[in-house]
Amino acid sequence: MSITKTIFITGGASGLGREVARYFADKDWFVGIADINAAGIAETAAMLPDGMSSRHLLDVTDRDQWARAVEEFGAATNGRMDVMFNNAGIGSGGPIQDMEPAEIDKMIAVNFTGVVSGAQACFKMLEATPGSCLLNTASAAGIYGSAGLSVYSGTKFAVRGMTEAWDIEWEPFDIKVRSLMPGFIDTNILSAVPNGSNQTGKEKLESVGIEVSPVEIIGQAAWDAVHGKKLHTTVNKTAKQLAFMARWFPKLLRKRAAGLASGLEDVVESDTP
């Protein structure tokens, strides 16, 4: 089989990663599906054309696993990596004083250190592929600090900053670096009913005025980010409004954010964008 374009996706077992895998595969790209969830990897692979994917068990906090996964992907693609989608992430909410230290440490390890490790692990293969792109999943929470999501928001600000820095650093190597900044997306985690509630996460968010967009919008957004000139791609209406208000009406945004905080804490879990 002759492989043309290739994409390596972390967090590919579900949610945004799965949708991007489907979208790029539909455009005849070879997809490397990486995740810590073997069953989810198999489910994603079953949605793609035969022979157009590879499977990689990967804990993004483990540098040795990164090295092995990237080597395996290179063996399947003859060393080609057109896009690395640095997408794996977790999230949880609550006032900082109430959060468990282990919960904080894990979020930073996955959302920050995991992204750094991914960039380092994939650099040589991206460098060897003309016109390649590193695409990081940031978040609308990386536009303005989100009350009730302070640690998560901080990690996404970091991803945003690293995207900007790496795009400068890697320009001489013909590697673009881009970020996706979605608001809340309707993935399986938002279909669950949190403890002590009779509403799904999606219903809870929508009840306090927070838009939840269909997951199908992510594939096109990722495609546009990879092939466009924008450094950061805001994905849905909420993210675009946040970016506008953060620039022009920060005081108004602060008031709005304070009012919405109660809608976030008990619905933000491991599949947060």
Side-chain angles (χ1 to χ4, degrees):
M1 179 183 63
S2 175
I3 292 175
T4 53
K5 298 282 190 173
T6 70
I7 181 171
F8 183 85
I9 300 174
T10 66
S14 63
L16 311 191
R18 173 174 289 177
E19 187 60 29
V20 169
R22 292 175 59 184
Y23 191 92
F24 277 67
D26 283 345
K27 294 186 177 293
D28 298 323
W29 282 49
F30 183 88
V31 181
I33 310 163
D35 205 290
I36 200 169
N37 179 354
I41 291 173
E43 290 173 2
T44 299
M47 299 175 182
L48 309 185
D50 289 343
M52 291 300 291
S53 65
S54 55
R55 308 179 189 188
H56 310 276
L57 273 176
L58 173 62
D59 177 348
V60 297
T61 68
D62 188 320
R63 289 185 174 91
D64 290 337
Q65 290 190 28
W66 264 112
R68 182 169 62 250
V70 171
E71 182 180 3
E72 292 170 351
F73 181 74
T77 66
N78 297 318
R80 187 178 187 98
M81 182 183 288
D82 292 274
V83 176
M84 196 287 240
F85 186 25
N86 225 353
N87 169 67
I90 60 174
S92 57
I96 185 62
Q97 66 272 18
D98 295 337
M99 295 184 71
E100 294 292 333
E103 177 185 17
I104 293 170
D105 291 347
K106 184 176 180 181
M107 209 181 326
I108 293 171
V110 173
N111 295 2
F112 177 79
T113 308
V115 171
V116 173
S117 295
Q120 287 192 314
C122 294
F123 172 75
K124 288 185 178 179
M125 199 175 297
L126 290 168
E127 182 187 19
T129 308
S132 61
C133 179
L134 171 63
L135 178 62
N136 298 317
T137 296
S139 171
I143 296 172
Y144 193 89
S146 302
L149 293 174
S150 61
V151 176
Y152 174 79
S153 184
T155 64
K156 294 305 181 178
F157 266 84
V159 171
R160 176 180 175 177
M162 290 187 294
T163 297
E164 294 167 1
W166 294 340
D167 190 51
I168 298 169
E169 290 180 4
W170 288 5
E171 184 178 12
F173 304 102
D174 193 27
I175 305 170
K176 295 185 299 185
V177 185
R178 300 289 186 259
S179 83
L180 283 180
M181 305 190 80
F184 280 93
I185 304 298
D186 189 10
T187 56
N188 289 340
I189 200 69
L190 292 185
S191 300
V193 178
N195 292 334
S197 175
N198 60 359
Q199 293 179 303
T200 65
K202 179 183 178 182
E203 291 167 343
K204 175 70 172 177
L205 289 167
E206 291 177 336
S207 73
V208 294
I210 300 176
E211 174 194 29
V212 179
S213 297
V215 72
E216 287 78 12
I217 70 172
I218 288 296
Q220 182 69 58
W223 183 266
D224 291 345
V226 166
H227 293 93
K229 296 183 179 180
K230 293 176 65 176
L231 185 59
H232 304 296
T233 297
T234 49
V235 176
N236 58 1
K237 184 170 69 175
T238 295
K240 295 179 190 301
Q241 288 177 339
L242 280 172
F244 179 81
M245 293 179 70
R247 181 174 182 181
W248 299 108
F249 303 104
K251 290 183 179 180
L252 179 60
L253 179 55
R254 177 184 170 87
K255 291 181 181 179
R256 181 186 179 194
L260 293 178
S262 63
L264 299 176
E265 296 174 5
D266 57 356
V267 297
V268 181
E269 296 183 33
S270 61
D271 214 21
T272 308

